Amino acid sequence: MSQVIAFDFGLARIGVAVGQAITQTASPLDTLKANDGVPNWTQVEILLKHWQPKKVLVGEPFNMDGTDQEITLRARKFANRVHGRFGVQVEMVDERLSSAAARDELFEFGGYQKIKKSQVDSIAAALILESWFSNQNS
């Protein structure tokens, strides 16, 4: 497996990152705009054709106690649609605290005032991907 793409699902924005399984590195890509959780599917198709991932990861948001959030079912539905539309293997990944960690990381590199929400979403997707790589090694 070489390329892996991760999505940090949201109702207004969907963060995207690509990773390389050999080096186990992740890089944030441009964030997709979404309308009530629905992306421009053509943009998703372009991403998948360009990167040709062997696997797609979708962040699965849980409450801190492990229970589902209101958005958890929407993220699963998005993952099912990605699989159904494009025939790629999709795996859900626990994303607890990924957005908070992304904000912390951005703050560390330039101050919170300069942070764009779209950067937070794509960095969160990269953190989801890095977490997945780390769990693959365990």
Side-chain angles (χ1 to χ4, degrees):
M1 178 187 321
S2 55
Q3 304 288 349
V4 180
I5 286 184
F7 292 104
D8 179 36
F9 177 80
L11 298 179
R13 292 171 311 279
I14 299 172
V16 185
V18 64
Q20 177 57 249
I22 294 170
T23 60
Q24 297 194 350
T25 56
S27 301
L29 300 175
D30 289 338
T31 297
L32 303 175
K33 290 183 180 179
N35 183 6
D36 195 30
V38 179
N40 176 331
W41 289 109
T42 302
Q43 289 179 315
V44 175
E45 181 177 18
I46 290 168
L47 279 169
L48 295 176
K49 282 185 177 179
H50 176 77
W51 293 105
Q52 299 182 11
K54 293 289 186 185
K55 183 174 286 219
V56 172
L57 308 175
V58 176
E60 191 170 27
F62 291 110
N63 292 311
M64 289 309 294
D65 65 0
T67 59
D68 288 357
Q69 295 182 22
E70 190 173 313
I71 198 169
T72 306
L73 294 177
R74 303 281 301 270
R76 290 176 187 149
K77 184 175 181 179
F78 170 77
N80 288 335
R81 285 188 172 164
V82 169
H83 172 71
R85 282 178 180 257
F86 306 109
V88 293
Q89 184 181 2
V90 178
E91 183 177 328
M92 300 299 293
V93 177
D94 186 343
E95 68 158 41
R96 279 179 273 191
L97 299 179
S98 63
S99 292
R103 280 190 290 277
D104 290 347
E105 192 168 303
L106 281 169
F107 184 75
E108 196 174 308
F109 296 106
Y112 195 75
Q113 306 85 340
K114 298 178 185 178
I115 297 171
K116 295 179 183 174
K117 288 184 179 180
S118 62
Q119 291 174 298
V120 171
D121 297 319
S122 288
I123 290 175
L127 293 173
I128 290 166
L129 191 46
E130 289 172 354
S131 169
W132 182 80
F133 282 141
S134 180
N135 287 335
Q136 298 304 298
N137 292 332
S138 298

